[in-house]
Amino acid sequence: LADGSQIELNGDAQVQIDFSAGIRRVVIVRGEAHFEVAHDSARPFVVVAGEVSVRAVGTAFAVSLAPAGVNVLVTDGRVAVDRASVDPVALPVKPIAFVSKGAHVAVAAADLTPQAPPPIVVEVSAPELAERLAWRVPRLEFNDTPLREAVALFNLHGAVRLSLAT
């Protein structure tokens, strides 16, 4: 990107980029992306996925927009996860979660209601982190992954489509 940040898109992911003098904003329209954010404390970097926003200044993280909600996985630094705001420049008073390097949070629509408890941030082991980000390298690697899930992941990455007999 123009600011030195990098985005890697998974499969048919699609994003919209809106950089201004006050904010760097990326909207995930569909799919999953990994971000390596260039440090710029004067212009926060905000990723919006559905009704969730992820705010970082200088860090690396992956965001996945799925029908069941939004998944955030931090590979370096720390991010604040909150409800998407009509004013993306405003700092959240109290984000619904902070996620640090080596941790993951899944945010469902129910987690965004004012009375909901905060979503649970879970530490991720190094092998699990590598597996979740395997789409970033040109090969697929699975450990204890059910065949049905492996086939679905394989089908995201190539022209050849696999199917399981029922």
PDB file of all heavy atoms in Angstrom, residues 11 28 43 52 58 61 74 96 111 120 124 127 132 139-140 142 151 164:
ATOM      1  N   GLY A  11      -7.356 -16.577  -1.301  1.00  0.00           N
ATOM      2  CA  GLY A  11      -8.327 -17.019  -2.290  1.00  0.00           C
ATOM      3  C   GLY A  11      -9.002 -15.870  -3.005  1.00  0.00           C
ATOM      4  O   GLY A  11      -8.340 -15.001  -3.558  1.00  0.00           O
ATOM      5  N   ILE A  28     -12.993  -5.288   4.611  1.00  0.00           N
ATOM      6  CA  ILE A  28     -13.018  -6.628   4.019  1.00  0.00           C
ATOM      7  C   ILE A  28     -14.432  -6.874   3.517  1.00  0.00           C
ATOM      8  O   ILE A  28     -15.378  -6.928   4.294  1.00  0.00           O
ATOM      9  CB  ILE A  28     -12.601  -7.707   5.034  1.00  0.00           C
ATOM     10  CG1 ILE A  28     -11.148  -7.480   5.459  1.00  0.00           C
ATOM     11  CG2 ILE A  28     -12.776  -9.101   4.440  1.00  0.00           C
ATOM     12  CD1 ILE A  28     -10.612  -8.499   6.434  1.00  0.00           C
ATOM     13  N   ARG A  43      -1.859   8.300  11.945  1.00  0.00           N
ATOM     14  CA  ARG A  43      -2.948   7.761  11.120  1.00  0.00           C
ATOM     15  C   ARG A  43      -3.188   6.311  11.499  1.00  0.00           C
ATOM     16  O   ARG A  43      -2.516   5.405  11.017  1.00  0.00           O
ATOM     17  CB  ARG A  43      -2.603   7.840   9.633  1.00  0.00           C
ATOM     18  CG  ARG A  43      -2.590   9.234   9.093  1.00  0.00           C
ATOM     19  CD  ARG A  43      -2.509   9.297   7.592  1.00  0.00           C
ATOM     20  NE  ARG A  43      -1.611   8.320   6.998  1.00  0.00           N
ATOM     21  CZ  ARG A  43      -1.762   7.853   5.768  1.00  0.00           C
ATOM     22  NH1 ARG A  43      -2.760   8.228   5.015  1.00  0.00           N
ATOM     23  NH2 ARG A  43      -0.893   6.989   5.275  1.00  0.00           N
ATOM     24  N   VAL A  52     -17.536  -5.469  12.736  1.00  0.00           N
ATOM     25  CA  VAL A  52     -16.387  -5.470  13.642  1.00  0.00           C
ATOM     26  C   VAL A  52     -15.277  -4.604  13.058  1.00  0.00           C
ATOM     27  O   VAL A  52     -15.037  -4.629  11.851  1.00  0.00           O
ATOM     28  CB  VAL A  52     -15.872  -6.913  13.851  1.00  0.00           C
ATOM     29  CG1 VAL A  52     -14.594  -6.936  14.665  1.00  0.00           C
ATOM     30  CG2 VAL A  52     -16.945  -7.770  14.506  1.00  0.00           C
ATOM     31  N   GLY A  58       1.084  -0.309  14.462  1.00  0.00           N
ATOM     32  CA  GLY A  58       2.178  -0.987  13.788  1.00  0.00           C
ATOM     33  C   GLY A  58       2.209  -2.429  14.241  1.00  0.00           C
ATOM     34  O   GLY A  58       2.700  -2.710  15.318  1.00  0.00           O
ATOM     35  N   PHE A  61      -1.472  -8.892  11.566  1.00  0.00           N
ATOM     36  CA  PHE A  61      -2.622  -9.680  12.000  1.00  0.00           C
ATOM     37  C   PHE A  61      -3.426 -10.132  10.797  1.00  0.00           C
ATOM     38  O   PHE A  61      -3.308  -9.575   9.712  1.00  0.00           O
ATOM     39  CB  PHE A  61      -3.518  -8.877  12.954  1.00  0.00           C
ATOM     40  CG  PHE A  61      -4.035  -7.588  12.362  1.00  0.00           C
ATOM     41  CD1 PHE A  61      -5.318  -7.515  11.829  1.00  0.00           C
ATOM     42  CD2 PHE A  61      -3.253  -6.446  12.350  1.00  0.00           C
ATOM     43  CE1 PHE A  61      -5.792  -6.332  11.291  1.00  0.00           C
ATOM     44  CE2 PHE A  61      -3.723  -5.256  11.826  1.00  0.00           C
ATOM     45  CZ  PHE A  61      -5.002  -5.202  11.285  1.00  0.00           C
ATOM     46  N   VAL A  74      -3.588 -12.451  15.721  1.00  0.00           N
ATOM     47  CA  VAL A  74      -2.482 -11.487  15.742  1.00  0.00           C
ATOM     48  C   VAL A  74      -1.159 -12.238  15.674  1.00  0.00           C
ATOM     49  O   VAL A  74      -0.895 -13.131  16.476  1.00  0.00           O
ATOM     50  CB  VAL A  74      -2.556 -10.595  16.996  1.00  0.00           C
ATOM     51  CG1 VAL A  74      -1.385  -9.622  17.033  1.00  0.00           C
ATOM     52  CG2 VAL A  74      -3.878  -9.827  17.019  1.00  0.00           C
ATOM     53  N   ILE A  96     -14.095  -4.092  22.771  1.00  0.00           N
ATOM     54  CA  ILE A  96     -14.640  -5.332  23.323  1.00  0.00           C
ATOM     55  C   ILE A  96     -13.536  -6.348  23.605  1.00  0.00           C
ATOM     56  O   ILE A  96     -13.732  -7.259  24.393  1.00  0.00           O
ATOM     57  CB  ILE A  96     -15.744  -5.939  22.429  1.00  0.00           C
ATOM     58  CG1 ILE A  96     -15.217  -6.264  21.033  1.00  0.00           C
ATOM     59  CG2 ILE A  96     -16.947  -5.024  22.372  1.00  0.00           C
ATOM     60  CD1 ILE A  96     -16.213  -7.012  20.165  1.00  0.00           C
ATOM     61  N   ASP A 111     -21.936 -11.051  20.173  1.00  0.00           N
ATOM     62  CA  ASP A 111     -20.906 -10.415  20.993  1.00  0.00           C
ATOM     63  C   ASP A 111     -20.927  -8.894  20.868  1.00  0.00           C
ATOM     64  O   ASP A 111     -20.258  -8.203  21.629  1.00  0.00           O
ATOM     65  CB  ASP A 111     -19.507 -10.911  20.595  1.00  0.00           C
ATOM     66  CG  ASP A 111     -19.316 -12.394  20.858  1.00  0.00           C
ATOM     67  OD1 ASP A 111     -19.858 -12.891  21.867  1.00  0.00           O
ATOM     68  OD2 ASP A 111     -18.624 -13.040  20.058  1.00  0.00           O
ATOM     69  N   ILE A 120     -14.004 -14.184  24.175  1.00  0.00           N
ATOM     70  CA  ILE A 120     -12.838 -14.769  24.837  1.00  0.00           C
ATOM     71  C   ILE A 120     -11.637 -14.767  23.879  1.00  0.00           C
ATOM     72  O   ILE A 120     -11.722 -15.272  22.758  1.00  0.00           O
ATOM     73  CB  ILE A 120     -13.150 -16.199  25.301  1.00  0.00           C
ATOM     74  CG1 ILE A 120     -14.279 -16.165  26.336  1.00  0.00           C
ATOM     75  CG2 ILE A 120     -11.913 -16.864  25.876  1.00  0.00           C
ATOM     76  CD1 ILE A 120     -14.828 -17.523  26.696  1.00  0.00           C
ATOM     77  N   VAL A 124      -2.830 -19.059  20.963  1.00  0.00           N
ATOM     78  CA  VAL A 124      -2.702 -20.004  19.864  1.00  0.00           C
ATOM     79  C   VAL A 124      -1.277 -20.553  19.866  1.00  0.00           C
ATOM     80  O   VAL A 124      -0.318 -19.781  19.930  1.00  0.00           O
ATOM     81  CB  VAL A 124      -3.005 -19.306  18.521  1.00  0.00           C
ATOM     82  CG1 VAL A 124      -2.832 -20.255  17.358  1.00  0.00           C
ATOM     83  CG2 VAL A 124      -4.411 -18.725  18.531  1.00  0.00           C
ATOM     84  N   PRO A 127       2.311 -24.214  16.273  1.00  0.00           N
ATOM     85  CA  PRO A 127       1.844 -25.060  15.158  1.00  0.00           C
ATOM     86  C   PRO A 127       0.447 -24.656  14.656  1.00  0.00           C
ATOM     87  O   PRO A 127       0.191 -24.666  13.462  1.00  0.00           O
ATOM     88  CB  PRO A 127       1.828 -26.471  15.747  1.00  0.00           C
ATOM     89  CG  PRO A 127       2.782 -26.423  16.899  1.00  0.00           C
ATOM     90  CD  PRO A 127       2.676 -25.023  17.439  1.00  0.00           C
ATOM     91  N   ARG A 132      -3.146 -22.032  10.670  1.00  0.00           N
ATOM     92  CA  ARG A 132      -4.164 -21.040  10.324  1.00  0.00           C
ATOM     93  C   ARG A 132      -3.702 -20.071   9.242  1.00  0.00           C
ATOM     94  O   ARG A 132      -4.520 -19.513   8.526  1.00  0.00           O
ATOM     95  CB  ARG A 132      -4.581 -20.252  11.564  1.00  0.00           C
ATOM     96  CG  ARG A 132      -5.406 -21.059  12.530  1.00  0.00           C
ATOM     97  CD  ARG A 132      -5.796 -20.209  13.704  1.00  0.00           C
ATOM     98  NE  ARG A 132      -6.529 -20.971  14.676  1.00  0.00           N
ATOM     99  CZ  ARG A 132      -7.573 -20.503  15.333  1.00  0.00           C
ATOM    100  NH1 ARG A 132      -7.987 -19.283  15.121  1.00  0.00           N
ATOM    101  NH2 ARG A 132      -8.187 -21.255  16.205  1.00  0.00           N
ATOM    102  N   ARG A 139       1.920 -23.793  -0.285  1.00  0.00           N
ATOM    103  CA  ARG A 139       1.599 -25.199  -0.063  1.00  0.00           C
ATOM    104  C   ARG A 139       0.625 -25.290   1.108  1.00  0.00           C
ATOM    105  O   ARG A 139       0.571 -24.411   1.959  1.00  0.00           O
ATOM    106  CB  ARG A 139       2.841 -26.020   0.220  1.00  0.00           C
ATOM    107  CG  ARG A 139       3.456 -25.710   1.551  1.00  0.00           C
ATOM    108  CD  ARG A 139       4.541 -26.735   1.882  1.00  0.00           C
ATOM    109  NE  ARG A 139       4.736 -26.739   3.303  1.00  0.00           N
ATOM    110  CZ  ARG A 139       5.868 -26.443   3.886  1.00  0.00           C
ATOM    111  NH1 ARG A 139       6.924 -26.160   3.154  1.00  0.00           N
ATOM    112  NH2 ARG A 139       5.973 -26.444   5.189  1.00  0.00           N
ATOM    113  N   LEU A 140      -0.120 -26.358   1.126  1.00  0.00           N
ATOM    114  CA  LEU A 140      -1.050 -26.597   2.219  1.00  0.00           C
ATOM    115  C   LEU A 140      -0.468 -27.666   3.126  1.00  0.00           C
ATOM    116  O   LEU A 140       0.055 -28.669   2.658  1.00  0.00           O
ATOM    117  CB  LEU A 140      -2.412 -27.038   1.688  1.00  0.00           C
ATOM    118  CG  LEU A 140      -3.149 -26.011   0.843  1.00  0.00           C
ATOM    119  CD1 LEU A 140      -4.429 -26.626   0.278  1.00  0.00           C
ATOM    120  CD2 LEU A 140      -3.484 -24.792   1.663  1.00  0.00           C
ATOM    121  N   PHE A 142      -1.440 -29.821   6.829  1.00  0.00           N
ATOM    122  CA  PHE A 142      -2.493 -30.094   7.791  1.00  0.00           C
ATOM    123  C   PHE A 142      -1.977 -30.966   8.922  1.00  0.00           C
ATOM    124  O   PHE A 142      -1.169 -31.860   8.698  1.00  0.00           O
ATOM    125  CB  PHE A 142      -3.674 -30.810   7.115  1.00  0.00           C
ATOM    126  CG  PHE A 142      -4.254 -30.036   5.964  1.00  0.00           C
ATOM    127  CD1 PHE A 142      -3.959 -30.377   4.663  1.00  0.00           C
ATOM    128  CD2 PHE A 142      -5.081 -28.958   6.191  1.00  0.00           C
ATOM    129  CE1 PHE A 142      -4.485 -29.667   3.601  1.00  0.00           C
ATOM    130  CE2 PHE A 142      -5.614 -28.239   5.139  1.00  0.00           C
ATOM    131  CZ  PHE A 142      -5.313 -28.592   3.838  1.00  0.00           C
ATOM    132  N   VAL A 151     -10.255 -30.748   2.509  1.00  0.00           N
ATOM    133  CA  VAL A 151     -10.751 -30.633   1.133  1.00  0.00           C
ATOM    134  C   VAL A 151     -11.286 -29.229   0.887  1.00  0.00           C
ATOM    135  O   VAL A 151     -11.000 -28.616  -0.154  1.00  0.00           O
ATOM    136  CB  VAL A 151     -11.816 -31.714   0.841  1.00  0.00           C
ATOM    137  CG1 VAL A 151     -12.555 -31.420  -0.458  1.00  0.00           C
ATOM    138  CG2 VAL A 151     -11.169 -33.089   0.793  1.00  0.00           C
ATOM    139  N   LEU A 164     -15.692 -35.129  -1.761  1.00  0.00           N
ATOM    140  CA  LEU A 164     -15.732 -36.377  -1.029  1.00  0.00           C
ATOM    141  C   LEU A 164     -16.972 -37.161  -1.416  1.00  0.00           C
ATOM    142  O   LEU A 164     -18.062 -36.580  -1.545  1.00  0.00           O
ATOM    143  CB  LEU A 164     -15.770 -36.105   0.484  1.00  0.00           C
ATOM    144  CG  LEU A 164     -14.518 -35.443   1.067  1.00  0.00           C
ATOM    145  CD1 LEU A 164     -14.751 -35.104   2.533  1.00  0.00           C
ATOM    146  CD2 LEU A 164     -13.321 -36.364   0.919  1.00  0.00           C
TER     147      LEU A 164
END
